[in-house]
Amino acid sequence: MLIGDRVLQQLTIGLDAAALRQRVIAHNLANLNTPGFKRSYVSFEDNLKSAAGAPALAPAHTHQKHINPAAEKELPAVRRDSRPIQRTDGNNVDIEREMLEMVTNQLRYNALIQQAASRLGNWRMVINEGRR
Amino acid sequence: MSLFSAFQISGSALTAEKLRLDLIAGNLANMNSTRTAAGGPYRRRTAVFAEELAGLRMPALFSPRQGEVNFAGKGVRVETVLADHRPPQRVYDPEHPDAGPDGYVLYPNIELVKEITDMLTALRSYEANTTVLNAAKSMYLKAMEIGR
């Protein structure tokens, strides 16, 4: 049960996505002064939302080799944002926006870590037969 | 994916911004240098930054594990250091040892205001990248608390 814990698996995906987003933001801010650079972003939570609200007529998934669009959508993806902003060098990194995203991402990461720690604490309590 | 690649990304930016600051310091120090080893007055130097991307990975050896996204961004690198080729300033000073036969001395074409604003930009970029570095550090420190 502990090995196949769905909650821990989901938390891991979320933590991986947050770590990836940290790298992407670091990359964007590293290229703050690179002419012509276009920022990247991680789309994950939006994908998750649309996967959660998937239509009722989803294709059946009865074999592990079937295409499962819902599972595909849950994975984080890195995309390029090519919309220009008011900068003359063709770069579209906005430092305030990146910093804001970084702080949000950090808080989300910490929240997920706490969730994972408490989940593991629950398992530890089970293993110790209720003794802490 | 290396766990610490966020550090390397920010580190590459710190190196690049530091080099830019060094070049600005060199430009300001040589504001009045009329002689160089190459002859003629000092020429303003600027760094050209380029996005650093990981090369193509060998698919069989390093295929990303299930669910991992392959993000190729590795930060920033200094592509080249360019010498400014705008014509130097001509100042009439016949007493100067480097004055030409017409009495004009060629001075480097360095604009003080431009250098100072560039310096502040480099400084702020450096600070932004240290903030990112600290954020990544606190995230990894937090991750150590999982098993506790």
Side-chain angles (χ1 to χ4, degrees):
Chain A
M1 289 301 284
L2 175 57
I3 305 300
D5 189 347
R6 280 297 294 268
V7 177
L8 272 181
Q9 283 172 1
Q10 301 286 342
L11 285 170
T12 312
I13 295 174
L15 282 169
D16 273 349
L20 175 71
R21 182 174 288 126
Q22 174 66 29
R23 281 167 64 215
V24 170
I25 294 170
H27 186 66
N28 288 343
L29 283 171
N31 286 287
L32 193 57
N33 295 311
T34 306
F37 174 80
K38 302 290 180 217
R39 68 184 284 272
S40 305
Y41 63 99
V42 176
S43 62
F44 175 56
E45 281 78 11
D46 297 341
N47 294 355
L48 207 60
K49 261 183 219 152
S50 63
L57 272 178
H61 181 70
T62 53
H63 186 270
Q64 60 168 357
K65 288 195 173 171
H66 279 177
I67 295 170
N68 186 1
E72 296 270 310
K73 274 184 190 167
E74 282 176 34
L75 294 176
V78 183
R79 301 219 162 81
R80 281 262 175 189
D81 184 358
S82 54
R83 284 174 300 174
I85 59 167
Q86 294 295 328
R87 280 181 68 160
T88 47
D89 57 358
N91 186 315
N92 68 349
V93 180
D94 179 356
I95 184 166
E96 285 85 10
R97 182 180 174 176
E98 301 294 334
M99 283 294 175
L100 198 74
E101 278 193 20
M102 191 185 73
V103 172
T104 317
N105 187 50
Q106 221 182 337
L107 290 175
R108 186 182 288 129
Y109 188 85
N110 288 355
L112 287 171
I113 292 276
Q114 263 180 26
Q115 291 285 313
S118 82
R119 186 76 185 171
L120 285 168
N122 288 351
W123 281 111
R124 187 177 293 144
M125 196 169 80
V126 170
I127 289 165
N128 292 334
E129 299 172 7
R131 297 187 298 270
R132 274 279 165 187
Chain B
M1 178 184 103
S2 157
L3 175 68
F4 300 109
S5 62
F7 293 149
Q8 282 158 9
I9 292 171
S10 297
S12 74
L14 295 183
T15 314
E17 297 296 345
K18 183 75 194 304
L19 182 98
R20 197 151 83 110
L21 216 54
D22 286 350
L23 291 178
I24 293 166
N27 288 344
L28 286 176
N30 286 295
M31 255 178 93
N32 297 309
S33 301
T34 51
R35 287 179 199 178
T36 53
Y42 176 84
R43 291 199 178 274
R44 175 175 175 263
R45 292 202 182 104
T46 43
V48 181
F49 289 178
E51 181 186 10
E52 173 92 320
L53 293 171
L56 287 175
R57 295 209 266 176
M58 276 182 278
L61 276 176
F62 298 107
S63 65
R65 73 182 155 83
Q66 174 102 54
E68 195 196 68
V69 178
N70 217 344
F71 177 59
K74 281 180 75 185
V76 66
R77 76 189 136 87
V78 180
E79 184 99 322
T80 72
V81 175
L82 283 182
D84 197 330
H85 279 289
R86 285 179 302 176
Q89 270 180 307
R90 284 161 53 84
V91 176
Y92 186 71
D93 185 7
E95 308 298 313
H96 196 285
D98 287 329
D102 55 354
Y104 279 96
V105 185
L106 299 180
Y107 277 101
N109 202 347
I110 287 170
E111 296 164 44
L112 189 61
V113 176
K114 171 128 186 66
E115 296 300 325
I116 298 290
T117 47
D118 274 0
M119 185 187 79
L120 291 176
T121 317
L123 213 59
R124 295 290 168 257
S125 306
Y126 193 90
E127 283 172 9
N129 281 292
T130 32
T131 309
V132 177
L133 202 67
N134 281 327
K137 193 179 78 181
S138 77
M139 272 169 73
Y140 292 142
L141 281 176
K142 192 81 184 168
M144 305 287 175
E145 292 176 15
I146 284 185
R148 235 172 247 170

